[in-house]
Amino acid sequence: MRGLVLGGVMAARGFAALLITLVGLLLVTFVVGRVMPIDPVVAAVGDKASAETYAKAREALGLDQPVWIQFGRYIGGVARGDLGQSSLSNRPVSEDIARVFPATVELSTLGILVGIILGVPLGVFAAHRRNRWPDQIIRSVSLLGYSTPVFWLGLIGLLIFYAQLGWSGGPGRIDTAYRYSVEEWSGLMLVDTLYSGDWDAFRSALSHIALPALLLGYFSLAYIARMTRGFMIEELSKEYVTTARLKGASEADVLWRHALPNVLVPVITVIALAYAQLLEGTVLTETVFAWPGLGLYITNSLFSADMPAVLGGTLVVGVCFVLLNKISEILYPILDPRTRSR
Amino acid sequence: MIVASSPSLPEPVGTRFEPSSRTQARLVQLARALHRAARNPSTLAGSLIVLALVFAAILAPLLATHDPMAQDLAARLTPPGAAHWLGTDQLGRDLYSRLLYGAQPTLMIVVLVVALSAPFGVAIGLLAGYFGGWVEAVLMRVTDIVMAFPRLILALALVAVLQPGLVNAVIAIAITAWPPYARLARAETLSLRHSEFVEAARGLGMPSGQIITGQILPLCLSSAAIRATLDMAGIILTAAGLGFLGLGAQPPMAEWGAMIAAGRDHIFDAWWVAAVPGLAIVLVSLGFNLLGDGLRDVLDPKHHD
């Protein structure tokens, strides 16, 4: 009973912390939006409007109210899914984001899958072969990932695999020929082409997403492999590992069945962080690959001084960031009984 | 485990080495650290690369073969060769010279961002760790919020608001860069807050300010320095990203990120325009990463392996 109450209190505290962080995020975007040199009234009515129209628009936008009331309205608006009006597309920012977000989710999810599938085994293997040549190679590859600008590697990738070798489909999500033939169903191009049963379109979509996804995958691999290696090295130095070896467990068993499950919790946290970073990394990647997702939306809006769109996009990425971290925290006790509240 | 034992330098085992003064102890410590650093190949490689960056930035006017701004449309997009060692860009400017001059904004951004963010972050962490209670609660909550924000995107929004430019890029990156220092300094302070020497200082009536700056701060510095070095690679990448998007240094200034952006339009017919500055970025951030890893091995006894 007591455990249950304690658990409830902990959950409530965690939830309160999450709420405070989210309000903090909103405060940041609100403040950034307030100090912008672009007058939102002028953006709405144009600079040729009369003083009367200007004042009316100012009132309509609520800019004559005290700052804290404006902030309250802002929070209320966001809570209802109102991120303001994009001056570029003349549509609600939330609609725009809903339209472009699936492309980003598709790209970053594929990227993180590559990162997990390659990164975790590589990290385990590096720890196993610690300080010998496989470890040195894996460490170098990962260090290089830490040191390379993603947009530059994207350009070089396009140069080699698209222009020279012709293996990649190049910029965009799909060849122009299929762009309007694929029926939009989930917003995920790979899923939609499969769903419509158009194999050629699917192959085209795959050839377009492969390069940017592998690229993002490489960056998360660098992080995941490096961290997994560190956790595994620590775990492999523990006594139960020695015991297992003495009892004749095979090295594969020791690695994958004894040690790895015990480091899964920190590894999951790292994966959540890597996923959040991928969402951010897409801003530059999408620009290079003309990938019509949230990142490209933010940068395009930036250049047309469409601040509601920029701040809305920033907010969405920020919220994803916070939520992914939270999810990894929630997964802790589920995956590891040792961290359940005693 | 293996603290590199050298025959020439006394090791801190038992009572074998007794420094006769504070200065001597410090000098011996420094000598040991340098000795260990020199034996560590990654630290050595990292230091050399970083030194090369500093030299390139300072000596750019001497080493450059051309004026980095001088356009020569007749020689535009010349491949690397004898006349232009690394080729020319779309305006016929010499890439080798621009690369050297590009070291200046890179170095400036790194130094300024660290100089702005590290002291601020450390101060926040010290205050939070030392005073605890609501001070800690408030400061660390703010730290978490800033940390929760994706760095590049926040910097992007800030620069967009502040107007693109080198100084604003520095400000934006610095605003997003301080939280890790605060967390580090807080953790260190927490472990020191109730240590005997701090209690002793307090017992002797030393004011809090003095305890923090005189007793605790010096012990937080090495971890902050490691963090700063590792951070520099990230700062370079963020700055290059802002430059690539046209939000950093403005043309015609030679800045590596902006140079890649310029090369983007010619990537298929003149690959060197984008490839050269990109390689420079990779090399320099690799240098800072190697140096940071090495420093951690040298300065942080917990990480000797």
Side-chain angles (χ1 to χ4, degrees), chain A residues 153-213:
Chain A
L153 205 57
L155 281 176
I156 300 297
L158 276 177
L159 171 67
I160 296 175
F161 295 107
Y162 172 60
Q164 302 287 326
L165 300 173
W167 292 356
S168 160
R173 292 180 85 185
I174 198 162
D175 286 346
T176 349
Y178 304 105
R179 189 171 292 163
Y180 302 101
S181 68
V182 177
E183 194 188 337
E184 198 159 314
W185 180 60
S186 63
L188 310 174
M189 197 56 90
L190 289 177
V191 177
D192 287 354
T193 47
L194 268 187
Y195 183 70
S196 59
D198 187 343
W199 282 99
D200 290 335
F202 176 74
R203 227 170 288 136
S204 168
L206 194 62
S207 78
H208 278 262
I209 200 172
L211 188 57

Side-chain angles (χ1 to χ4, degrees), chain A residues 41 45 49-64:
Chain A
V41 183
V45 296
S50 67
E52 200 183 327
T53 324
Y54 183 91
K56 260 193 190 149
R58 195 172 134 84
E59 210 172 301
L61 288 168
L63 292 171
D64 52 341

Side-chain angles (χ1 to χ4, degrees), chain B residues 45 219 299:
Chain B
L219 292 169
L299 293 176

Side-chain angles (χ1 to χ4, degrees), chain A residues 223-305:
Chain A
Y223 182 50
I224 293 173
R226 181 176 166 135
M227 301 306 278
T228 307
R229 173 184 178 273
F231 300 141
M232 280 297 283
I233 283 177
E234 209 189 321
E235 201 63 25
L236 287 174
S237 70
K238 292 192 175 160
E239 280 181 2
Y240 76 91
V241 172
T242 318
T243 313
R245 284 194 179 127
L246 284 176
K247 288 172 92 174
S250 71
E251 198 55 30
D253 257 10
V254 168
L255 287 176
W256 302 103
R257 296 197 31 207
H258 290 263
L260 185 62
N262 281 320
V263 300
L264 265 190
V265 168
V267 168
I268 298 271
T269 314
V270 164
I271 289 173
L273 278 176
Y275 195 28
Q277 280 167 9
L278 272 196
L279 279 178
E280 181 181 32
T282 54
V283 171
L284 292 164
T285 317
E286 287 178 4
T287 310
V288 171
F289 286 92
W291 190 264
L294 187 57
L296 193 64
Y297 178 71
I298 292 178
T299 43
N300 281 344
S301 309
L302 205 60
F303 292 117
S304 38

Side-chain angles (χ1 to χ4, degrees), chain B residues 106-189:
Chain B
T106 304
L107 197 62
M108 193 191 104
I109 290 173
V110 165
V111 170
L112 284 182
V113 168
V114 170
L116 286 173
S117 61
F120 181 75
V122 169
I124 297 279
L126 283 172
L127 291 176
Y130 187 79
F131 290 109
W134 65 267
V135 178
E136 183 180 18
V138 171
L139 289 179
M140 293 328 285
R141 180 50 56 189
V142 173
T143 307
D144 284 349
I145 290 172
V146 179
M147 200 134 167
F149 241 112
R151 213 165 146 174
L152 178 72
I153 295 189
L154 182 56
L156 208 92
L158 280 171
V159 175
V161 162
L162 298 170
Q163 297 303 327
L166 202 57
V167 176
N168 287 339
V170 167
I171 295 173
I173 300 175
I175 288 178
T176 58
W178 62 268
Y181 297 97
R183 281 203 176 170
L184 251 177
R186 171 179 163 266
E188 300 252 355
T189 313

Side-chain angles (χ1 to χ4, degrees), chain B residues 45-249:
Chain B
S47 326
L48 288 179
I49 296 174
V50 173
L51 271 180
L53 172 75
V54 175
F55 275 118
I58 297 173
L59 300 178
L62 293 176
L63 296 172
T65 51
H66 294 73
D67 177 352
M69 312 284 183
Q71 304 183 5
D72 178 5
L73 291 176
R76 64 192 296 269
L77 302 176
T78 313
H84 299 278
W85 296 348
L86 298 176
T88 62
D89 67 6
Q90 73 287 357
L91 295 173
R93 295 174 297 194
D94 182 58
L95 276 177
Y96 165 70
S97 307
R98 285 182 72 70
L99 200 66
L100 283 174
Y101 277 91
Q104 292 174 348
T106 304
L107 197 62
M108 193 191 104
I109 290 173
V110 165
V111 170
L112 284 182
V113 168
V114 170
L116 286 173
S117 61
F120 181 75
V122 169
I124 297 279
L126 283 172
L127 291 176
Y130 187 79
F131 290 109
W134 65 267
V135 178
E136 183 180 18
V138 171
L139 289 179
M140 293 328 285
R141 180 50 56 189
V142 173
T143 307
D144 284 349
I145 290 172
V146 179
M147 200 134 167
F149 241 112
R151 213 165 146 174
L152 178 72
I153 295 189
L154 182 56
L156 208 92
L158 280 171
V159 175
V161 162
L162 298 170
Q163 297 303 327
L166 202 57
V167 176
N168 287 339
V170 167
I171 295 173
I173 300 175
I175 288 178
T176 58
W178 62 268
Y181 297 97
R183 281 203 176 170
L184 251 177
R186 171 179 163 266
E188 300 252 355
T189 313
L190 278 182
S191 68
L192 295 169
R193 182 163 62 172
H194 296 297
S195 61
E196 281 173 13
F197 70 93
V198 172
E199 295 289 0
R202 214 177 282 138
L204 288 169
M206 196 183 266
S208 295
Q210 250 180 49
I211 296 181
I212 294 178
T213 53
Q215 308 291 319
I216 299 180
L217 174 67
L219 292 169
C220 299
L221 286 183
S222 72
S223 59
I226 297 167
R227 174 76 220 187
T229 317
L230 285 171
D231 231 20
M232 286 176 177
I235 293 168
I236 289 176
L237 293 184
T238 311
L242 289 177
F244 178 71
L245 292 174
L247 297 172

Side-chain angles (χ1 to χ4, degrees), chain B residues 4-11 17 28 31-32 35 39:
Chain B
S5 58
S6 84
S8 56
L9 289 167
E11 281 299 317
F17 171 64
V28 169
R32 272 199 204 119
H35 189 76
R39 286 166 56 111

Side-chain angles (χ1 to χ4, degrees), chain A residues 123-144:
Chain A
V124 172
F125 188 64
H128 170 53
R129 293 263 162 207
R130 187 182 176 196
N131 287 338
R132 274 177 278 173
W133 65 265
D135 182 28
Q136 307 285 12
I137 291 178
I138 294 171
R139 278 166 78 182
S140 309
V141 166
S142 144
L143 191 64
L144 214 55

